[in-house]
Amino acid sequence: MDAASPLPAPARRVRKRDLVLPVALSLSALAVVLWLTYEPGTFSDVRDTFNPWILLGAVGALGVQITAGGLRLRHVSGGALSVPGGLRSQVTWDFMSAVTPSALGGAPFAAFFIARENKVPYGEITAVMLFAMLMDQIWFALLIVVLYLSAIWVPVFPTGLGAAGIGTVAAYLGGMLIYIAFFAYATLFRPELIERLANWVVHFRWLRRFEPTVQREARRLRRQARVLRSKPAAFYLKGAAYTAFYWAGRYGIVFLVALSFWRDFRHVLFVLRTAGMWLAGLAMPTPGGSGGIEALYVFYLAPLLPPGYGGPALLTWRLLTYYLILVLGFFVAGSAVRSLLAGERPPTEPPSGDGQPEAVPLVTPLTEPSAGVPPAR
């Protein structure tokens, strides 16, 4: 998933190597992991303990993930997206996040597809996706607190990382928690703080060329925050419920895949480490975390399984959640991907009277607050 931030139009088009590189990295990492974790004679053991019915449950968890994400997009759009449109949009978002370099992020490209396929203005779709990402960030913040508290009783942070590694991970999560708390508070209640910070940053000489773009996006965020503050508590609670189901589906896939190979392991610790692995994966610089997420699996989850089981479980998980998403993404958004490869860009937004992009309210009926409407608390 992408970090919560304003969504400008993609700075450049997607290139073919952007699609090939993450797959090559993932395949290479899988090959290395399978070779390092191979134990002579365990193939027959893995075959004997494998339960295909539990693996079918993992496929169901993938369905929960996509369905919850699609319904969340439909909810935030105020019904502008149909249920099938929301599901297709979520698959596209996951697909673009899996193949797009982290420096670009998959959300702007996914917004391009969603706007084009549903005939909704690009600026409105970016507002919808901003809220969805903000809900993810709040989920991460709560999760980090849970992981810190759980670490008092169980080894949430893998001991294989060593003292320095555990300290680094703990510091990373702490920094991430501070960032998320600031961004969520500033987005919903004090967007002028982000605008001031952005204006201060672009005053550095080597960043001044970005000043017009940064200031435009900061003003846009302030307008979006005004819309978000007008929504009732039920709007946020429903969005939070969809977000919880989305991430429960993601964690459930990893857990059920491992369970299909071996049943006797520490289930609660496995789920907690799965959540920690996803958080650590957000810092991976490669597209979709390819290459890095496989290494994290070895440190976080493989030690909880018997020797020789980590490799097959990792391979099955990646086949189900990465390569299958690539196939589904090409099937769902093939025309948009071909357009991006050809250099097509999202349309620019019509300027308002002050020469800046028009305010981007969340799609009808999520409109600007009227006088006397109290902000959500």
Side-chain angles (χ1 to χ4, degrees):
M1 302 299 291
D2 302 293
S5 59
L7 296 174
R12 65 167 175 81
R13 68 183 180 89
V14 177
R15 297 172 296 190
K16 291 182 179 179
R17 73 179 186 185
D18 294 330
L19 305 181
V20 175
L21 177 61
V23 176
L25 287 173
S26 180
L27 289 174
S28 299
L30 283 172
V32 172
V33 170
L34 289 171
W35 178 65
L36 292 176
T37 59
Y38 173 74
E39 294 285 339
T42 58
F43 179 78
S44 59
D45 295 335
V46 171
R47 183 186 57 197
D48 292 339
T49 59
F50 176 69
N51 188 323
W53 295 107
I54 298 179
L55 183 62
L56 188 62
V59 177
L62 177 62
V64 170
Q65 172 193 322
I66 295 174
T67 301
L71 292 178
R72 182 175 65 172
L73 291 176
R74 172 177 165 77
H75 164 65
V76 179
S77 74
L81 299 178
S82 64
V83 172
L87 298 179
R88 287 163 54 85
S89 299
Q90 184 60 54
V91 170
T92 303
W93 191 356
D94 290 339
F95 168 78
M96 294 308 302
S97 296
V99 301
T100 309
S102 301
L104 297 176
F109 296 99
F112 164 79
F113 165 82
I114 297 171
R116 185 172 114 167
E117 292 297 308
N118 295 277
K119 297 180 173 57
V120 177
Y122 179 78
E124 293 184 356
I125 289 300
T126 62
V128 169
M129 299 186 73
L130 171 64
F131 178 79
M133 289 190 291
L134 181 62
M135 297 302 295
D136 286 334
Q137 297 293 303
I138 295 174
W139 170 269
F140 295 154
L142 296 175
L143 184 63
I144 290 171
V145 174
V146 170
L147 292 179
Y148 273 132
L149 293 176
S150 300
I152 299 174
W153 296 282
V154 293
V156 173
F157 304 112
T159 55
L161 294 174
I166 292 176
T168 301
V169 171
Y172 160 72
L173 292 180
M176 188 177 180
L177 180 61
I178 293 172
Y179 161 76
I180 292 172
F182 168 78
F183 190 87
Y185 172 75
T187 299
L188 293 175
F189 304 107
R190 295 287 301 279
E192 66 274 10
L193 294 178
I194 295 181
E195 191 169 356
R196 291 174 190 169
L197 179 61
N199 289 333
W200 176 76
V201 170
V202 295
H203 281 160
F204 289 100
R205 184 179 61 183
W206 55 90
L207 295 176
R208 286 175 186 168
R209 62 192 179 95
F210 300 109
E211 186 171 1
T213 300
V214 170
Q215 290 180 344
R216 181 177 67 248
E217 298 302 332
R219 283 191 290 268
R220 176 188 297 177
L221 179 61
R222 178 186 287 214
R223 290 191 289 267
Q224 291 174 347
R226 187 167 63 249
V227 178
L228 289 174
R229 286 198 302 271
S230 73
K231 307 321 299 172
F235 173 80
Y236 288 92
L237 290 175
K238 193 171 183 179
Y242 283 134
T243 300
F245 275 106
Y246 175 86
W247 284 101
R250 278 210 164 192
Y251 303 154
I253 299 168
V254 187
F255 173 75
L256 289 171
V257 166
L259 196 67
S260 69
F261 285 98
W262 185 257
R263 262 68 71 193
D264 188 18
F265 59 88
R266 302 175 68 178
H267 296 170
V268 174
L269 178 58
F270 193 94
V271 173
L272 290 172
R273 284 199 180 182
T274 298
M277 179 187 69
W278 274 116
L279 287 171
L282 295 175
M284 290 296 164
T286 56
S290 56
I293 198 72
E294 289 85 357
L296 288 174
Y297 191 100
V298 172
F299 280 107
Y300 275 80
L301 301 179
L304 301 179
L305 300 174
Y309 278 72
L314 169 62
L315 175 62
T316 305
W317 169 53
R318 292 301 275 170
L319 285 174
L320 188 59
T321 61
Y322 187 74
Y323 297 101
L324 181 58
I325 286 295
L326 293 182
V327 174
L328 291 176
F330 267 113
F331 177 76
V332 168
S335 61
V337 172
R338 286 191 294 272
S339 297
L340 290 169
L341 288 171
E344 186 174 345
R345 305 277 179 83
T348 57
E349 298 173 47
S352 60
D354 61 356
Q356 299 300 330
E358 196 65 60
V360 264
L362 297 179
V363 182
T364 306
L366 308 183
T367 54
E368 292 281 354
S370 58
V373 178
R377 288 288 185 267

